[in-house]
Amino acid sequence: MQEQSFEIEDITIEEYFNLENTDDYDIFLEAIKANNSFAGHTFDVNSITYNQMEVLKNTFKNPDMSNIFYIFVLLFKIQGNFKQNKEEIFYNQSIFDLFRAKRFLQEFLISKIETENKMLQGVPDDKMMMINGYERLAPVSFLLSKIRLAEQFNTTPDVVGGWKYNTVFSYLIANKINSDIQTEYQKLK
């Protein structure tokens, strides 16, 4: 019995978006191995700011080519040169390199969201649940966190947004632990 092999041509991102049917390539999206490399650059996971993390979250909530392009330029620091502008550099990369790097960003984001949920979630408050408070606050939680930290550090929310994500996350955890202890202490009085 002869073994069948399946070969697919490695094409550029531009060629991929010019295809009438991308199904032969799309099957690789979920199976491809993640790689933190794109256009000769790596994403420095420790340098991402709080604002950039929110942009990354929003990009993967509603992905389209313009916001994927934007996030790749931002995080992989793609810049034009005397031969090509950043759009040409991006669109001339292999579609498989895009898939690998996109997979890396997705896995990075999932890991961060899981950690946030584990570390920052508290015990649900019955009164907040009655008024649907958690759901109503969810769309502005990012901004509210920036406002609280800005007040705490006597600065502006815009400045807080430019801080490293890991720094902001550490402050949020410290504030949550402090709040939890204060709540428990008040119950003992």
Side-chain angles (χ1 to χ4, degrees):
M1 187 177 228
Q2 190 173 3
E3 189 177 304
Q4 287 186 338
S5 67
F6 177 75
E7 290 187 31
I8 190 158
E9 184 181 355
D10 190 4
I11 61 174
T12 67
I13 296 167
E14 182 176 19
E15 290 169 328
Y16 170 83
F17 282 102
N18 287 330
L19 292 174
E20 286 184 32
N21 183 344
T22 61
D23 291 348
D24 288 345
Y25 290 90
D26 294 342
I27 60 173
F28 292 95
L29 274 169
E30 296 305 317
I32 202 161
K33 185 177 178 187
N35 188 15
N36 183 11
S37 178
F38 186 77
H41 302 272
T42 58
F43 161 45
D44 180 359
V45 297
N46 295 314
S47 72
I48 191 168
T49 67
Y50 193 56
N51 280 347
Q52 289 171 339
M53 180 62 82
E54 188 66 10
V55 170
L56 182 60
K57 289 176 183 178
N58 289 331
T59 296
F60 282 103
K61 282 181 188 171
N62 299 304
D64 65 33
M65 205 54 232
S66 67
N67 60 21
I68 294 288
F69 167 76
Y70 174 77
I71 203 70
F72 270 69
V73 167
L74 180 69
L75 298 181
F76 287 97
K77 303 197 182 326
I78 299 170
Q79 299 175 353
N81 56 43
F82 65 94
K83 290 183 179 179
Q84 294 179 306
N85 63 38
K86 58 189 169 191
E87 289 87 0
E88 291 170 328
I89 292 170
F90 177 84
Y91 285 104
N92 284 321
Q93 299 305 306
S94 162
I95 191 61
F96 294 115
D97 288 346
L98 176 72
F99 288 172
R100 288 181 192 97
K102 184 174 179 252
R103 179 74 176 228
F104 177 84
L105 292 177
Q106 287 172 310
E107 290 176 3
F108 169 78
L109 184 59
I110 289 167
S111 170
K112 291 297 183 182
I113 290 171
E114 287 173 353
T115 302
E116 286 178 9
N117 289 340
K118 179 181 173 189
M119 301 297 289
L120 296 176
Q121 270 186 341
V123 177
D125 181 285
D126 292 338
K127 293 176 186 173
M128 282 290 284
M129 290 173 64
M130 285 175 50
I131 64 168
N132 204 21
Y134 296 116
E135 191 174 313
R136 291 166 50 195
L137 287 172
V140 293
S141 65
F142 166 72
L143 180 58
L144 291 174
S145 295
K146 289 196 321 183
I147 291 169
R148 278 194 302 274
L149 288 174
E151 290 170 351
Q152 184 177 351
F153 289 95
N154 197 28
T155 189
T156 67
D158 287 339
V159 169
V160 171
W163 292 352
K164 301 284 184 235
Y165 169 81
N166 291 336
T167 301
V168 173
F169 186 63
S170 296
Y171 290 143
L172 293 174
I173 290 172
N175 286 343
K176 182 195 179 299
I177 292 170
N178 183 47
S179 175
D180 290 349
I181 291 170
Q182 294 298 323
T183 301
E184 288 177 35
Y185 181 77
Q186 292 301 322
K187 288 179 182 178
L188 293 175
K189 282 187 168 185

